[in-house]
Amino acid sequence: MTLPTQHVPLFPLNSVILPQGRIPLQLFEPRYIDMLTRCLKEERGFVVVLLREGGEATPQASFYDIGTYVRIVDFRQLENGLLGITVEGDRKVVVEHSWQAPDGLHLGNLTPLDDEPEVAVPDEFGELPLVLKALCRHPVVRELEMAVDYADARMVGWRLTELLPIHKDEKQRLLELHDPVERLAQLAELVDELD
C-alpha cells in the first residue's frame, strides 16, 4: 500500500508513536469519527503528530511537523459508548504544509522520511532490551500485541521512546533522530537518570 502524501488527516496527540508501535485511541469528536470513516473506506491512514500547545480536543492546536503515518489495525465500540481504535505506526513523515478544514480537522501534505538503517543493538547498550522486556510485560502493553525484535536497535529504541516515562518533548527529539544507535545512547542516559 503506497503512502498518500496530499491532504492527509493529522491527529495531534500528547504522545508519540514510531514505526511498528501501537497505541489505542478513543474517538468522540465528529471530525475524528468522520476521519475514521473515510480512512476505513479508502483504506488509508493518518498522521499522529505531537502537540506543542493546546489540547487534544481543542480546535486550535500547534504541533510538531515530524510525526508518524499510522494505519488502523483494530476498531470497536467501547463500553463507555465511544469508538475505540488501535493504530500501528508505518513510517516517519514530515508535514510540509498543514491547514484546518471547516470541520476543524487538521490536514497536511507529507514527505516520507527515509527508513532508518537496520542495525543490531551494540553490546554496550545490552541493558536496554532488558528494560524494554520488563515494560512489555505490563498488561496494557501486552494487550497491544506488538511484535518486538529485541536484537534490532531501531525497534528497541522506538519502543523505549514510546514507553518510558519521559517528557513528551524528549520523546519528540528521539523520534526525530535517524541513527538508531545514537537514539539508544540517549535512551541509556535517560534510563540512568530515571534510576
Side-chain angles (χ1 to χ4, degrees), residues 60-165:
Q60 298 303 319
S62 70
F63 42 82
Y64 289 92
D65 57 4
I66 296 180
T68 303
Y69 182 81
V70 300
R71 300 186 188 282
I72 300 155
V73 293
D74 185 38
F75 66 97
R76 67 207 166 286
Q77 195 78 36
L78 301 173
E79 288 173 15
N80 60 11
L82 299 180
L83 194 56
I85 66 171
T86 301
V87 297
E88 182 173 280
D90 186 86
R91 67 183 303 165
K92 297 191 293 182
V93 296
V94 180
V95 179
E96 299 290 355
H97 174 65
S98 68
W99 63 95
Q100 244 178 323
D103 67 356
L105 184 69
H106 293 275
L107 297 163
N109 294 340
L110 316 176
T111 300
L113 289 169
D114 291 336
D115 290 334
E116 293 180 20
E118 206 169 318
V119 59
V121 175
D123 291 343
E124 71 214 75
F125 303 123
E127 83 283 357
L128 292 178
L130 302 175
V131 172
L132 180 57
K133 280 179 186 171
L135 290 168
C136 286
R137 283 195 290 270
H138 191 283
V140 173
V141 178
R142 273 208 322 258
E143 237 174 67
L144 295 171
E145 298 176 353
M146 287 187 286
V148 180
D149 178 351
Y150 295 99
D152 182 338
R154 295 171 312 169
M155 204 173 277
V156 171
W158 291 338
R159 298 298 74 81
L160 285 172
T161 298
E162 293 163 348
L163 298 172
L164 283 173

Side-chain angles (χ1 to χ4, degrees), residues 29-72:
E29 290 183 71
R31 59 180 165 164
Y32 292 127
I33 292 170
D34 291 347
M35 175 195 80
L36 175 68
T37 305
R38 280 197 308 276
C39 287
L40 290 170
K41 195 167 81 182
E42 298 168 13
E43 295 185 353
R44 290 171 54 140
F46 55 92
V47 176
V48 170
V49 284
L50 181 67
L51 278 163
R52 279 183 198 269
E53 289 171 16
E56 291 174 1
T58 54
Q60 298 303 319
S62 70
F63 42 82
Y64 289 92
D65 57 4
I66 296 180
T68 303
Y69 182 81
V70 300
R71 300 186 188 282
I72 300 155

